[in-house]
Coordinates of all heavy atoms in Angstrom, one line a residue:
M1 N -5.8 -83.1 -69.1 CA -7.1 -83.5 -69.6 C -8.2 -82.4 -69.7 O -9.1 -82.3 -70.5 CB -7.7 -84.6 -68.7 CG -7.0 -85.9 -68.6 SD -6.9 -86.6 -70.4 CE -8.5 -87.0 -70.7
S2 N -7.9 -81.4 -68.9 CA -8.9 -80.2 -68.8 C -8.8 -79.4 -70.1 O -9.7 -78.6 -70.4 CB -8.7 -79.4 -67.6 OG -7.3 -78.7 -67.7
N3 N -7.7 -79.5 -70.9 CA -7.6 -78.8 -72.1 C -8.2 -79.5 -73.3 O -8.4 -78.8 -74.4 CB -6.1 -78.4 -72.5 CG -5.6 -77.5 -71.4 OD1 -6.2 -76.3 -71.2 ND2 -4.6 -77.8 -70.7
V4 N -8.5 -80.7 -73.2 CA -9.1 -81.5 -74.4 C -10.5 -80.9 -74.8 O -10.6 -80.8 -76.0 CB -9.3 -82.9 -73.9 CG1 -10.1 -83.7 -75.0 CG2 -7.8 -83.6 -73.8
P5 N -11.3 -80.4 -74.0 CA -12.5 -79.8 -74.5 C -12.3 -78.6 -75.3 O -12.8 -78.2 -76.3 CB -13.4 -79.4 -73.3 CG -12.9 -80.4 -72.3 CD -11.4 -80.6 -72.5
F6 N -11.2 -77.7 -74.9 CA -10.9 -76.5 -75.7 C -10.4 -76.9 -77.0 O -10.8 -76.3 -78.1 CB -9.8 -75.7 -75.0 CG -10.4 -75.0 -73.7 CD1 -10.0 -75.6 -72.5 CD2 -11.1 -73.8 -73.8 CE1 -10.6 -75.0 -71.3 CE2 -11.6 -73.3 -72.6 CZ -11.3 -73.9 -71.4
I7 N -9.6 -77.9 -77.1 CA -9.0 -78.3 -78.4 C -10.1 -78.9 -79.3 O -10.2 -78.6 -80.5 CB -7.9 -79.3 -78.2 CG1 -6.7 -78.6 -77.4 CG2 -7.3 -79.9 -79.5 CD1 -5.7 -79.7 -76.9
A8 N -10.9 -79.8 -78.7 CA -11.9 -80.4 -79.5 C -13.0 -79.4 -80.0 O -13.5 -79.4 -81.1 CB -12.6 -81.6 -78.7
I9 N -13.5 -78.6 -79.1 CA -14.6 -77.6 -79.4 C -14.0 -76.7 -80.5 O -14.7 -76.3 -81.4 CB -15.0 -76.9 -78.2 CG1 -15.9 -77.8 -77.3 CG2 -15.9 -75.6 -78.6 CD1 -16.3 -77.3 -76.0
G10 N -12.8 -76.2 -80.3 CA -12.2 -75.3 -81.3 C -12.1 -75.9 -82.8 O -12.4 -75.3 -83.7
F11 N -11.5 -77.2 -82.8 CA -11.5 -77.8 -84.1 C -12.9 -78.0 -84.7 O -13.0 -77.9 -85.9 CB -10.7 -79.1 -84.0 CG -9.2 -78.9 -84.2 CD1 -8.3 -79.2 -83.2 CD2 -8.7 -78.3 -85.3 CE1 -7.0 -79.1 -83.3 CE2 -7.4 -78.2 -85.5 CZ -6.4 -78.5 -84.5
Y12 N -13.8 -78.5 -83.8 CA -15.1 -78.7 -84.4 C -15.8 -77.5 -84.9 O -16.4 -77.5 -85.9 CB -16.0 -79.4 -83.3 CG -17.4 -79.8 -83.8 CD1 -17.7 -80.8 -84.7 CD2 -18.5 -79.0 -83.3 CE1 -19.0 -80.9 -85.1 CE2 -19.7 -79.2 -83.8 CZ -20.0 -80.2 -84.7 OH -21.3 -80.4 -85.1
G13 N -15.7 -76.4 -84.2 CA -16.3 -75.1 -84.5 C -15.7 -74.6 -85.8 O -16.4 -74.2 -86.7
W14 N -14.4 -74.8 -86.0 CA -13.6 -74.3 -87.1 C -14.1 -75.2 -88.4 O -14.4 -74.8 -89.4 CB -12.2 -74.5 -86.9 CG -11.3 -74.3 -88.2 CD1 -11.0 -73.0 -88.8 CD2 -10.7 -75.3 -89.0 NE1 -10.3 -73.2 -89.9 CE2 -10.2 -74.5 -90.1 CE3 -10.7 -76.6 -89.0 CZ2 -9.4 -75.2 -91.2 CZ3 -10.0 -77.2 -90.1 CH2 -9.4 -76.5 -91.1
W15 N -14.2 -76.5 -88.2 CA -14.6 -77.4 -89.1 C -16.0 -77.2 -89.6 O -16.2 -77.0 -90.8 CB -14.5 -78.9 -88.7 CG -14.9 -79.9 -89.6 CD1 -14.4 -80.2 -90.8 CD2 -16.2 -80.8 -89.6 NE1 -15.0 -81.2 -91.3 CE2 -16.2 -81.5 -90.5 CE3 -17.0 -80.9 -88.5 CZ2 -17.1 -82.5 -90.8 CZ3 -18.0 -81.8 -88.6 CH2 -18.1 -82.6 -89.7
R16 N -16.9 -76.9 -88.7 CA -18.3 -76.6 -89.1 C -18.3 -75.2 -89.8 O -19.2 -74.9 -90.7 CB -19.2 -76.6 -87.9 CG -19.5 -77.9 -87.3 CD -20.3 -78.8 -88.0 NE -21.6 -78.2 -88.3 CZ -22.4 -78.4 -89.2 NH1 -22.1 -79.3 -90.2 NH2 -23.6 -77.9 -89.3
A17 N -17.5 -74.2 -89.3 CA -17.6 -72.9 -90.0 C -17.1 -73.1 -91.4 O -17.6 -72.4 -92.3 CB -16.6 -71.9 -89.2
M18 N -16.1 -73.9 -91.7 CA -15.7 -74.1 -93.0 C -16.7 -74.8 -93.9 O -16.8 -74.6 -95.1 CB -14.3 -74.9 -93.0 CG -13.1 -74.2 -92.4 SD -12.5 -72.8 -93.5 CE -13.4 -71.4 -92.7
Q19 N -17.4 -75.7 -93.3 CA -18.4 -76.4 -94.0 C -19.6 -75.6 -94.4 O -20.2 -75.7 -95.5 CB -19.0 -77.5 -93.1 CG -18.3 -78.8 -93.3 CD -19.0 -80.0 -92.5 OE1 -19.8 -79.8 -91.7 NE2 -18.7 -81.2 -92.9
T20 N -20.0 -74.6 -93.6 CA -21.1 -73.8 -93.9 C -20.7 -72.5 -94.7 O -21.6 -71.8 -95.1 CB -21.7 -73.2 -92.5 OG1 -20.6 -72.5 -91.8 CG2 -22.3 -74.3 -91.8
G21 N -19.4 -72.4 -95.0 CA -19.0 -71.3 -95.9 C -18.8 -70.0 -95.3 O -18.8 -68.9 -96.0
L22 N -18.7 -70.0 -94.0 CA -18.4 -68.7 -93.3 C -17.1 -68.0 -93.8 O -16.2 -68.9 -94.1 CB -18.4 -68.8 -91.8 CG -19.7 -69.0 -91.1 CD1 -19.5 -69.3 -89.6 CD2 -20.5 -67.7 -91.3
P23 N -17.0 -66.8 -93.7 CA -15.7 -66.2 -94.0 C -14.5 -66.7 -93.1 O -14.8 -66.9 -91.9 CB -15.8 -64.7 -93.9 CG -17.3 -64.5 -94.1 CD -18.0 -65.7 -93.5
Q24 N -13.3 -66.8 -93.6 CA -12.3 -67.2 -92.7 C -12.0 -66.4 -91.5 O -11.6 -66.9 -90.5 CB -10.9 -67.2 -93.6 CG -9.8 -67.9 -93.0 CD -9.9 -69.5 -93.0 OE1 -10.7 -70.0 -93.7 NE2 -9.1 -70.1 -92.4
K25 N -12.3 -65.1 -91.6 CA -12.0 -64.3 -90.4 C -13.0 -64.7 -89.2 O -12.6 -64.4 -88.0 CB -12.2 -62.9 -90.7 CG -13.7 -62.5 -91.1 CD -13.7 -60.9 -91.4 CE -15.1 -60.5 -91.6 NZ -15.0 -59.0 -91.9
Y26 N -14.1 -65.4 -89.5 CA -14.9 -65.8 -88.3 C -14.5 -67.3 -87.9 O -14.9 -67.6 -86.8 CB -16.4 -65.8 -88.8 CG -16.9 -64.5 -89.1 CD1 -17.3 -64.2 -90.4 CD2 -16.9 -63.4 -88.2 CE1 -17.8 -63.0 -90.7 CE2 -17.3 -62.2 -88.5 CZ -17.7 -61.9 -89.8 OH -18.2 -60.7 -90.1
A27 N -13.8 -67.9 -88.7 CA -13.4 -69.3 -88.3 C -12.1 -69.3 -87.5 O -11.8 -70.2 -86.7 CB -13.3 -70.2 -89.6
L28 N -11.3 -68.4 -87.8 CA -9.9 -68.3 -87.1 C -10.0 -68.2 -85.6 O -9.2 -68.8 -85.0 CB -9.1 -67.1 -87.7 CG -8.4 -67.4 -89.0 CD1 -7.7 -66.1 -89.6 CD2 -7.5 -68.5 -89.0
P29 N -10.9 -67.4 -85.0 CA -10.9 -67.4 -83.5 C -11.2 -68.9 -83.0 O -10.8 -69.2 -81.8 CB -12.1 -66.4 -83.2 CG -12.1 -65.6 -84.4 CD -11.8 -66.4 -85.6
L30 N -12.1 -69.6 -83.7 CA -12.4 -71.0 -83.2 C -11.1 -72.0 -83.3 O -10.8 -72.6 -82.4 CB -13.4 -71.6 -84.1 CG -14.8 -70.9 -84.0 CD1 -15.7 -71.3 -85.0 CD2 -15.4 -71.2 -82.6
L31 N -10.3 -71.7 -84.3 CA -9.0 -72.4 -84.5 C -8.1 -72.0 -83.4 O -7.3 -72.7 -82.8 CB -8.5 -72.3 -85.9 CG -7.4 -73.3 -86.2 CD1 -7.8 -74.7 -86.2 CD2 -6.9 -73.0 -87.7
G32 N -8.1 -70.7 -83.1 CA -7.3 -70.1 -82.1 C -7.6 -70.7 -80.7 O -6.7 -70.9 -79.9
L33 N -8.9 -71.0 -80.4 CA -9.2 -71.7 -79.2 C -8.5 -73.0 -79.1 O -8.0 -73.4 -78.0 CB -10.7 -71.8 -79.1 CG -11.2 -72.5 -77.8 CD1 -11.0 -71.5 -76.7 CD2 -12.7 -72.7 -78.0
S34 N -8.4 -73.8 -80.1 CA -7.6 -75.1 -80.1 C -6.1 -74.8 -79.8 O -5.5 -75.6 -79.1 CB -7.8 -75.8 -81.5 OG -9.1 -76.2 -81.6
V35 N -5.6 -73.8 -80.4 CA -4.2 -73.6 -80.3 C -3.9 -73.1 -78.8 O -2.9 -73.5 -78.2 CB -3.7 -72.4 -81.2 CG1 -2.3 -71.9 -80.8 CG2 -3.9 -72.9 -82.7
I36 N -4.8 -72.3 -78.2 CA -4.7 -72.0 -76.8 C -4.7 -73.3 -75.9 O -4.0 -73.3 -75.0 CB -5.7 -71.0 -76.3 CG1 -5.6 -69.7 -77.0 CG2 -5.9 -70.9 -74.8 CD1 -6.7 -68.7 -76.8
G37 N -5.7 -74.2 -76.2 CA -5.8 -75.4 -75.4 C -4.5 -76.2 -75.6 O -4.0 -76.8 -74.5
A38 N -4.0 -76.3 -76.8 CA -2.7 -77.2 -77.0 C -1.5 -76.5 -76.2 O -0.7 -77.2 -75.6 CB -2.4 -77.3 -78.5
G39 N -1.4 -75.2 -76.3 CA -0.2 -74.5 -75.6 C -0.4 -74.6 -74.2 O 0.6 -74.8 -73.4
S40 N -1.7 -74.5 -73.6 CA -1.8 -74.6 -72.2 C -1.5 -76.0 -71.7 O -0.9 -76.2 -70.6 CB -3.2 -74.3 -71.9 OG -3.5 -74.2 -70.5
A41 N -2.0 -77.0 -72.5 CA -1.6 -78.4 -72.1 C -0.1 -78.6 -72.0 O 0.5 -79.2 -71.2 CB -2.3 -79.4 -73.0
G42 N 0.6 -78.1 -73.1 CA 2.0 -78.3 -73.2 C 2.7 -77.6 -72.1 O 3.7 -78.1 -71.5
F43 N 2.3 -76.3 -71.8 CA 3.0 -75.6 -70.7 C 2.8 -76.2 -69.3 O 3.7 -76.5 -68.5 CB 2.5 -74.1 -70.6 CG 3.0 -73.4 -69.4 CD1 4.4 -73.3 -69.2 CD2 2.1 -72.9 -68.5 CE1 4.7 -72.6 -68.0 CE2 2.5 -72.3 -67.4 CZ 3.8 -72.1 -67.1
H44 N 1.5 -76.6 -69.0 CA 1.2 -77.2 -67.7 C 1.7 -78.6 -67.6 O 1.9 -79.1 -66.4 CB -0.3 -77.2 -67.4 CG -0.8 -75.7 -67.2 ND1 -1.4 -75.1 -68.2 CD2 -0.5 -74.8 -66.1 CE1 -1.7 -73.8 -67.7 NE2 -1.2 -73.7 -66.5
A45 N 2.1 -79.3 -68.6 CA 2.7 -80.6 -68.6 C 4.2 -80.5 -68.4 O 4.9 -81.4 -67.7 CB 2.4 -81.4 -69.8
T46 N 4.9 -79.4 -69.0 CA 6.3 -79.4 -68.9 C 6.9 -78.3 -68.0 O 8.0 -78.4 -67.6 CB 6.8 -79.1 -70.3 OG1 6.3 -77.9 -70.8 CG2 6.4 -80.2 -71.4
L47 N 6.1 -77.2 -67.8 CA 6.6 -76.1 -67.1 C 7.8 -75.5 -67.7 O 8.7 -74.9 -66.9 CB 6.7 -76.4 -65.5 CG 5.4 -76.8 -64.9 CD1 5.7 -77.0 -63.4 CD2 4.4 -75.6 -64.9
R48 N 7.9 -75.5 -69.0 CA 9.1 -74.8 -69.6 C 8.7 -73.6 -70.2 O 7.5 -73.2 -70.5 CB 9.6 -75.8 -70.8 CG 10.2 -77.1 -70.3 CD 10.6 -77.9 -71.5 NE 11.3 -77.1 -72.4 CZ 12.1 -77.5 -73.3 NH1 12.6 -78.7 -73.3 NH2 12.6 -76.7 -74.3
W49 N 9.7 -72.6 -70.3 CA 9.5 -71.3 -70.7 C 9.0 -71.2 -72.1 O 8.1 -70.4 -72.5 CB 10.8 -70.5 -70.5 CG 10.7 -69.0 -71.0 CD1 10.0 -68.0 -70.2 CD2 11.0 -68.5 -72.2 NE1 10.0 -66.8 -71.0 CE2 10.6 -67.1 -72.1 CE3 11.6 -68.8 -73.3 CZ2 10.9 -66.2 -73.2 CZ3 11.9 -68.0 -74.3 CH2 11.5 -66.7 -74.3
D50 N 9.5 -72.0 -73.0 CA 9.1 -71.9 -74.4 C 7.6 -72.4 -74.5 O 6.8 -71.9 -75.3 CB 10.0 -72.8 -75.3 CG 10.2 -74.3 -74.8 OD1 9.9 -74.5 -73.7 OD2 10.8 -75.0 -75.6
W51 N 7.2 -73.3 -73.7 CA 5.8 -73.7 -73.7 C 4.9 -72.7 -73.0 O 3.7 -72.6 -73.3 CB 5.6 -75.1 -73.2 CG 5.8 -76.2 -74.1 CD1 7.0 -76.9 -74.2 CD2 5.0 -76.6 -75.2 NE1 6.9 -77.8 -75.2 CE2 5.7 -77.7 -75.9 CE3 3.8 -76.2 -75.7 CZ2 5.0 -78.3 -77.1 CZ3 3.2 -76.8 -76.7 CH2 3.8 -77.8 -77.4
Q52 N 5.5 -72.0 -72.1 CA 4.7 -70.9 -71.6 C 4.4 -69.8 -72.6 O 3.3 -69.3 -72.6 CB 5.5 -70.2 -70.4 CG 4.8 -69.0 -69.7 CD 5.6 -68.4 -68.6 OE1 6.7 -68.8 -68.4 NE2 4.9 -67.5 -67.8
L53 N 5.3 -69.5 -73.5 CA 5.0 -68.7 -74.6 C 3.9 -69.2 -75.5 O 3.0 -68.5 -75.9 CB 6.2 -68.4 -75.4 CG 7.4 -67.6 -74.7 CD1 8.5 -67.4 -75.6 CD2 6.8 -66.2 -74.3
M54 N 3.9 -70.5 -75.7 CA 2.9 -71.2 -76.5 C 1.5 -71.1 -75.8 O 0.4 -71.3 -76.3 CB 3.2 -72.5 -76.9 CG 4.3 -72.7 -77.8 SD 4.0 -71.9 -79.4 CE 2.7 -72.9 -80.0
D55 N 1.5 -70.9 -74.4 CA 0.3 -70.8 -73.7 C -0.2 -69.4 -73.7 O -1.4 -69.2 -73.9 CB 0.6 -71.2 -72.2 CG -0.6 -71.1 -71.3 OD1 -1.8 -71.3 -71.8 OD2 -0.5 -71.0 -70.1
E56 N 0.7 -68.4 -73.5 CA 0.2 -67.0 -73.3 C 0.0 -66.2 -74.6 O -0.9 -65.4 -74.8 CB 1.2 -66.3 -72.4 CG 1.1 -66.9 -71.0 CD 2.1 -66.2 -70.1 OE1 2.8 -65.3 -70.5 OE2 2.2 -66.7 -68.9
L57 N 0.9 -66.4 -75.5 CA 0.9 -65.6 -76.9 C -0.4 -65.9 -77.6 O -1.0 -64.9 -78.1 CB 2.1 -65.8 -77.6 CG 3.4 -65.2 -77.1 CD1 4.6 -65.5 -78.0 CD2 3.2 -63.7 -77.0
P58 N -0.8 -67.1 -77.7 CA -2.1 -67.2 -78.5 C -3.3 -66.6 -77.8 O -4.2 -66.1 -78.5 CB -2.3 -68.8 -78.6 CG -0.9 -69.3 -78.4 CD -0.2 -68.4 -77.5
M59 N -3.3 -66.5 -76.5 CA -4.3 -65.8 -75.8 C -4.3 -64.3 -76.3 O -5.4 -63.7 -76.4 CB -4.2 -65.9 -74.4 CG -4.4 -67.3 -73.7 SD -4.2 -67.3 -72.0 CE -3.7 -68.9 -71.7
I60 N -3.2 -63.7 -76.3 CA -3.1 -62.3 -76.6 C -3.6 -62.2 -78.2 O -4.4 -61.2 -78.4 CB -1.6 -61.8 -76.5 CG1 -1.2 -61.8 -75.0 CG2 -1.5 -60.4 -77.0 CD1 0.2 -61.6 -74.8
Y61 N -3.0 -63.0 -79.0 CA -3.6 -62.9 -80.4 C -5.0 -63.2 -80.5 O -5.7 -62.5 -81.4 CB -2.8 -63.9 -81.3 CG -1.2 -63.7 -81.2 CD1 -0.4 -64.8 -81.3 CD2 -0.7 -62.5 -81.2 CE1 1.0 -64.7 -81.4 CE2 0.7 -62.3 -81.2 CZ 1.5 -63.3 -81.3 OH 2.8 -63.2 -81.3
E62 N -5.6 -64.0 -79.8 CA -7.0 -64.4 -79.8 C -7.9 -63.1 -79.4 O -8.8 -62.8 -80.1 CB -7.3 -65.5 -79.0 CG -8.8 -65.9 -79.0 CD -9.1 -66.8 -80.2 OE1 -8.2 -67.3 -80.9 OE2 -10.2 -67.1 -80.4
V63 N -7.4 -62.5 -78.3 CA -8.1 -61.2 -77.9 C -8.1 -60.2 -78.9 O -9.0 -59.5 -79.3 CB -7.5 -60.8 -76.5 CG1 -8.1 -59.5 -76.1 CG2 -8.0 -61.8 -75.4
M64 N -6.8 -60.0 -79.4 CA -6.7 -58.9 -80.5 C -7.5 -59.2 -81.8 O -8.2 -58.4 -82.3 CB -5.2 -58.8 -80.9 CG -4.4 -58.2 -79.8 SD -2.6 -57.9 -80.2 CE -2.3 -58.7 -81.6
L65 N -7.6 -60.5 -82.1 CA -8.4 -60.9 -83.3 C -9.9 -60.7 -83.0 O -10.7 -60.2 -83.9 CB -8.2 -62.3 -83.7 CG -9.0 -62.9 -84.8 CD1 -8.8 -62.0 -86.1 CD2 -8.7 -64.4 -85.0
C66 N -10.5 -61.1 -81.8 CA -11.8 -60.9 -81.5 C -12.2 -59.4 -81.4 O -13.2 -59.1 -81.8 CB -12.1 -61.6 -80.3 SG -12.1 -63.5 -80.4
N67 N -11.3 -58.5 -80.9 CA -11.5 -57.2 -80.8 C -11.6 -56.6 -82.2 O -12.5 -55.7 -82.5 CB -10.5 -56.4 -80.0 CG -10.7 -56.5 -78.6 OD1 -11.8 -56.4 -78.1 ND2 -9.7 -56.5 -77.8
L68 N -10.7 -57.0 -83.1 CA -10.8 -56.5 -84.4 C -12.1 -56.9 -85.2 O -12.7 -56.1 -85.9 CB -9.6 -57.2 -85.2 CG -9.6 -56.9 -86.7 CD1 -9.3 -55.3 -87.0 CD2 -8.5 -57.7 -87.4
L69 N -12.6 -58.1 -84.9 CA -13.9 -58.6 -85.5 C -15.0 -57.7 -85.0 O -15.9 -57.4 -85.6 CB -14.1 -60.1 -85.1 CG -13.2 -61.0 -86.0 CD1 -13.6 -62.4 -85.6 CD2 -13.5 -60.8 -87.5
V70 N -15.0 -57.4 -83.7 CA -16.1 -56.7 -83.1 C -16.1 -55.2 -83.7 O -17.1 -54.7 -84.1 CB -15.9 -56.5 -81.6 CG1 -16.8 -55.4 -81.0 CG2 -16.3 -57.9 -80.9
W71 N -15.0 -54.6 -83.8 CA -14.8 -53.2 -84.4 C -15.2 -53.3 -85.9 O -15.6 -52.3 -86.4 CB -13.4 -52.6 -84.1 CG -13.2 -52.3 -82.7 CD1 -14.2 -52.3 -81.7 CD2 -12.0 -51.8 -82.1 NE1 -13.6 -51.9 -80.5 CE2 -12.4 -51.6 -80.8 CE3 -10.8 -51.6 -82.6 CZ2 -11.4 -51.1 -79.9 CZ3 -9.8 -51.1 -81.7 CH2 -10.2 -50.8 -80.3
D72 N -14.8 -54.4 -86.6 CA -15.0 -54.5 -88.0 C -16.6 -54.7 -88.3 O -17.0 -54.1 -89.1 CB -14.3 -55.7 -88.5 CG -14.4 -55.8 -90.1 OD1 -14.4 -54.8 -90.8 OD2 -14.6 -56.9 -90.6
V73 N -17.3 -55.5 -87.4 CA -18.6 -55.7 -87.7 C -19.5 -54.5 -87.2 O -20.5 -54.1 -87.9 CB -19.1 -57.0 -87.0 CG1 -20.6 -57.2 -87.0 CG2 -18.4 -58.2 -87.6
D74 N -19.2 -53.9 -86.1 CA -20.0 -52.9 -85.5 C -19.3 -51.5 -85.8 O -18.4 -51.2 -85.0 CB -20.3 -53.1 -84.1 CG -21.3 -52.3 -83.5 OD1 -21.8 -51.4 -84.2 OD2 -21.7 -52.5 -82.3
K75 N -19.8 -50.8 -86.7 CA -19.2 -49.5 -87.0 C -19.7 -48.3 -86.1 O -19.2 -47.3 -86.2 CB -19.6 -49.2 -88.4 CG -19.2 -50.1 -89.5 CD -17.7 -50.2 -89.7 CE -17.4 -51.1 -90.8 NZ -16.1 -51.5 -90.9
R76 N -20.6 -48.6 -85.1 CA -21.0 -47.6 -84.3 C -20.1 -47.3 -83.1 O -20.3 -46.3 -82.3 CB -22.3 -48.0 -83.6 CG -23.4 -48.2 -84.7 CD -24.7 -48.7 -84.1 NE -24.4 -50.1 -83.6 CZ -25.0 -50.7 -82.7 NH1 -26.1 -50.2 -82.2 NH2 -24.7 -52.0 -82.3
W77 N -19.0 -48.0 -82.9 CA -18.1 -47.8 -81.7 C -17.7 -46.3 -81.7 O -17.8 -45.7 -80.7 CB -17.0 -48.7 -81.8 CG -17.3 -50.0 -81.3 CD1 -17.8 -51.1 -82.0 CD2 -17.3 -50.4 -79.9 NE1 -18.0 -52.2 -81.1 CE2 -17.7 -51.8 -79.9 CE3 -17.0 -49.7 -78.7 CZ2 -17.8 -52.4 -78.7 CZ3 -17.0 -50.5 -77.5 CH2 -17.4 -51.8 -77.5
G78 N -16.9 -45.9 -82.8 CA -16.4 -44.5 -82.7 C -15.4 -44.3 -81.7 O -15.0 -45.2 -81.0
V79 N -15.0 -43.0 -81.5 CA -14.0 -42.6 -80.5 C -14.5 -42.8 -79.1 O -13.8 -43.2 -78.3 CB -13.5 -41.2 -80.8 CG1 -12.5 -40.8 -79.7 CG2 -12.9 -41.0 -82.2
R80 N -15.7 -42.4 -78.8 CA -16.3 -42.6 -77.5 C -16.3 -44.0 -77.0 O -16.0 -44.3 -75.9 CB -17.7 -41.9 -77.4 CG -17.7 -40.4 -77.5 CD -19.1 -39.9 -77.2 NE -19.2 -38.6 -77.7 CZ -20.4 -37.9 -77.9 NH1 -21.5 -38.6 -77.7 NH2 -20.3 -36.7 -78.4
G81 N -16.8 -44.8 -77.9 CA -16.9 -46.2 -77.5 C -15.5 -46.9 -77.3 O -15.4 -47.6 -76.3
V82 N -14.5 -46.5 -78.1 CA -13.1 -47.1 -77.8 C -12.7 -46.6 -76.5 O -12.0 -47.2 -75.7 CB -12.3 -46.7 -79.0 CG1 -10.8 -47.1 -78.7 CG2 -12.8 -47.4 -80.3
M83 N -12.8 -45.2 -76.2 CA -12.3 -44.6 -75.0 C -13.1 -45.3 -73.8 O -12.4 -45.5 -72.7 CB -12.6 -43.1 -75.1 CG -11.8 -42.4 -76.0 SD -10.0 -42.6 -75.8 CE -9.7 -41.6 -74.4
A84 N -14.3 -45.5 -73.9 CA -15.1 -46.2 -72.8 C -14.5 -47.6 -72.6 O -14.4 -48.0 -71.4 CB -16.6 -46.2 -73.1
M85 N -14.3 -48.3 -73.6 CA -13.8 -49.6 -73.4 C -12.4 -49.6 -72.9 O -12.1 -50.4 -72.0 CB -13.6 -50.3 -74.9 CG -13.2 -51.8 -74.8 SD -12.9 -52.5 -76.4 CE -14.4 -52.3 -77.2
L86 N -11.5 -48.7 -73.2 CA -10.2 -48.6 -72.6 C -10.2 -48.2 -71.2 O -9.5 -48.7 -70.4 CB -9.3 -47.6 -73.4 CG -8.9 -48.1 -74.8 CD1 -8.2 -46.9 -75.5 CD2 -8.1 -49.3 -74.8
A87 N -11.2 -47.2 -70.9 CA -11.4 -46.8 -69.5 C -11.8 -48.0 -68.6 O -11.3 -48.2 -67.5 CB -12.3 -45.6 -69.4
F88 N -12.8 -48.7 -69.1 CA -13.2 -49.9 -68.4 C -12.1 -50.9 -68.1 O -11.9 -51.5 -67.1 CB -14.4 -50.5 -69.1 CG -14.8 -51.8 -68.4 CD1 -15.6 -51.7 -67.2 CD2 -14.5 -53.1 -68.8 CE1 -16.0 -52.8 -66.6 CE2 -14.9 -54.2 -68.2 CZ -15.6 -54.1 -67.1
D89 N -11.3 -51.1 -69.2 CA -10.1 -52.1 -69.1 C -9.2 -51.6 -68.1 O -8.7 -52.3 -67.3 CB -9.5 -52.3 -70.4 CG -8.5 -53.4 -70.5 OD1 -8.8 -54.4 -69.8 OD2 -7.4 -53.2 -71.2
V90 N -8.8 -50.3 -68.1 CA -7.9 -49.8 -67.1 C -8.5 -49.9 -65.7 O -7.8 -50.4 -64.7 CB -7.5 -48.3 -67.4 CG1 -6.8 -47.7 -66.3 CG2 -6.8 -48.3 -68.8
W91 N -9.8 -49.5 -65.5 CA -10.4 -49.7 -64.1 C -10.5 -51.1 -63.7 O -10.2 -51.4 -62.6 CB -11.8 -49.1 -64.3 CG -12.7 -49.3 -63.1 CD1 -12.5 -48.6 -61.8 CD2 -13.6 -50.3 -62.8 NE1 -13.4 -49.1 -60.9 CE2 -14.0 -50.2 -61.5 CE3 -14.1 -51.2 -63.6 CZ2 -15.1 -51.0 -61.0 CZ3 -15.1 -52.1 -63.0 CH2 -15.6 -51.9 -61.8
H92 N -10.8 -52.0 -64.7 CA -11.0 -53.4 -64.2 C -9.5 -54.0 -63.9 O -9.5 -54.8 -62.9 CB -11.5 -54.1 -65.4 CG -11.8 -55.6 -65.0 ND1 -11.0 -56.6 -65.3 CD2 -12.9 -56.1 -64.5 CE1 -11.4 -57.8 -64.9 NE2 -12.6 -57.5 -64.4
T93 N -8.5 -53.6 -64.6 CA -7.2 -54.0 -64.3 C -6.6 -53.5 -63.0 O -6.0 -54.2 -62.3 CB -6.1 -53.7 -65.4 OG1 -6.7 -54.1 -66.7 CG2 -4.8 -54.3 -65.2
A94 N -7.0 -52.3 -62.7 CA -6.5 -51.7 -61.4 C -7.2 -52.2 -60.2 O -6.6 -52.1 -59.1 CB -6.6 -50.2 -61.6
S95 N -8.4 -52.6 -60.3 CA -9.2 -53.0 -59.1 C -8.8 -54.5 -58.8 O -8.1 -55.3 -59.4 CB -10.6 -52.9 -59.4 OG -11.1 -53.6 -60.4

């Protein structure tokens, strides 16, 4: 039951984005939220390995897509910004 809001909000956001005419690249992360919710519900209901992949892989794809959108929209990142982001990620993961 805890995944129902993720699925519903993701589909609703995607539907509204399509209605307003936003480019598809901004609507896909919302649809990805629904896929994450469905995969998480499937995995936690069955505890099977194939559903675990449906839980974890969409999360990885969603993060990569959102990072791509941030770098695509904001051209000021440059090499220093990317290095700072990677350093923070390594520091955060190690602690």
Side-chain angles (χ1 to χ4, degrees):
M1 293 303 296
S2 64
N3 291 305
V4 171
F6 290 103
I7 297 169
I9 290 171
F11 273 121
Y12 179 74
W14 173 78
W15 178 68
R16 290 293 296 162
M18 292 291 95
Q19 275 189 335
T20 58
L22 282 175
Q24 189 76 10
K25 67 180 181 179
Y26 300 118
L28 281 177
L30 295 164
L31 195 58
L33 185 62
S34 293
V35 174
I36 290 171
S40 183
F43 170 60
H44 291 105
T46 63
L47 294 179
R48 292 180 40 154
W49 181 76
D50 49 349
W51 277 102
Q52 182 180 5
L53 293 178
M54 291 300 295
D55 182 26
E56 294 176 6
L57 289 177
M59 291 180 204
I60 294 170
Y61 299 146
E62 183 81 8
V63 168
M64 290 182 351
L65 178 61
C66 290
N67 277 324
L68 177 67
L69 287 176
V70 167
W71 289 355
D72 185 43
V73 171
D74 192 354
K75 303 291 185 195
R76 296 173 296 162
W77 278 92
V79 174
R80 287 187 198 164
V82 172
M83 294 301 286
M85 184 187 305
L86 291 174
F88 176 76
D89 187 38
V90 169
W91 171 77
H92 187 267
T93 305
S95 60

